[in-house]
Amino acid sequence: AGYTKGRTGRFLSITGPNATKTRATITPMAARPAPPQRPLDSFDRAILRIVQRDARTPQRAIADAVNLSAAAVQRRIAAMEASGVIRGNVALVDPKAVPLTITAIVEVYLQDERAETVQNAKARFQSEPEVQQCYYVTGGTSFILIVVTTDMAAYQALTQRLFEENDSVNRFRSLIALDRVKTEASLIIP
């Protein structure tokens, strides 16, 4: 069976066939306990705004910007890391430099929404490095995934593995990005 292609807004839509699938056995991941949170004050929020833009900003520069000592900034950052407010520090890599030329937004429709089916799907999507983001959503679609691959052949192999050979997936729809207009990693800190 082939794929149907057509235009949808600023994306190229590719819909996978609803073919007979083989069962994939997936072991569910253990639920992670939520990290303990501490209340954020105005200093914490100001620090977060700065480190989200550039995590390598010297603590002295942060201290000057938020009117605290460098030691106080260091303690607050350590406390936010320990409580899970700051989950990590990463380098944002340009996908073209690697090159990861295909970015796909994928709608996944499960056969059913039973807890076991959903947990197995979450575990499977979390285990795939090409799946950059995964959202369990409402509105008839089960999941929205953001996927990056080197080329269409790699993307097709991924869809075969994740969707076509997965008995719990009813169907999926891929939207291939033509241009990365905005990708933002920072959150709005009120």
Side-chain angles (χ1 to χ4, degrees):
Y3 290 91
T4 57
K5 298 180 181 182
R7 287 281 201 193
T8 305
R10 295 182 55 100
F11 297 99
L12 176 66
S13 174
I14 301 174
T15 306
N18 189 8
T20 305
K21 302 171 187 176
T22 56
R23 180 172 298 277
T25 305
I26 303 169
T27 305
M29 292 179 64
R32 280 187 244 162
Q37 299 279 324
R38 66 181 196 73
L40 300 177
D41 63 18
S42 61
F43 292 112
D44 294 328
R45 292 176 191 284
I47 292 167
L48 287 173
R49 285 186 203 99
I50 294 168
V51 298
Q52 276 195 131
R53 282 192 309 269
D54 185 357
R56 295 183 304 170
T57 304
Q59 290 182 355
R60 169 52 49 206
I62 297 170
D64 291 344
V66 300
N67 297 319
L68 287 174
S69 69
V73 167
Q74 181 181 19
R75 283 191 301 272
R76 286 172 176 271
I77 289 174
M80 288 188 282
E81 287 172 342
S83 69
V85 172
I86 297 175
R87 296 186 326 181
N89 297 299
V90 299
L92 301 176
V93 178
D94 183 351
K96 294 176 192 169
V98 181
L100 292 169
T101 59
I102 302 297
T103 299
I105 298 89
V106 185
E107 298 174 352
V108 180
Y109 301 84
L110 297 179
Q111 292 285 2
D112 61 68
E113 298 290 326
R114 291 178 301 137
E116 181 181 2
T117 305
V118 171
Q119 290 307 315
N120 287 343
K122 286 179 181 180
R124 179 64 186 262
F125 300 149
Q126 285 175 336
S127 71
E128 290 290 337
E130 294 91 345
V131 177
Q132 297 293 293
Q133 298 176 47
C134 175
Y135 301 95
Y136 180 50
V137 298
T138 63
T141 304
S142 302
F143 288 92
I144 299 291
L145 309 179
I146 308 297
V147 175
V148 295
T149 62
T150 55
D151 54 31
M152 282 307 286
Y155 181 70
Q156 186 174 6
L158 178 73
T159 61
Q160 175 102 22
R161 230 178 26 251
L162 279 183
F163 312 128
E164 294 171 18
E165 295 174 357
N166 186 341
D167 199 36
S168 65
V169 173
N170 180 35
R171 63 189 172 94
F172 69 99
R173 186 171 84 117
S174 298
L175 304 168
I176 305 300
L178 299 176
D179 187 16
R180 284 177 169 250
V181 178
K182 179 179 180 181
T183 56
E184 188 66 41
S186 61
L187 300 174
I188 298 170
I189 307 294

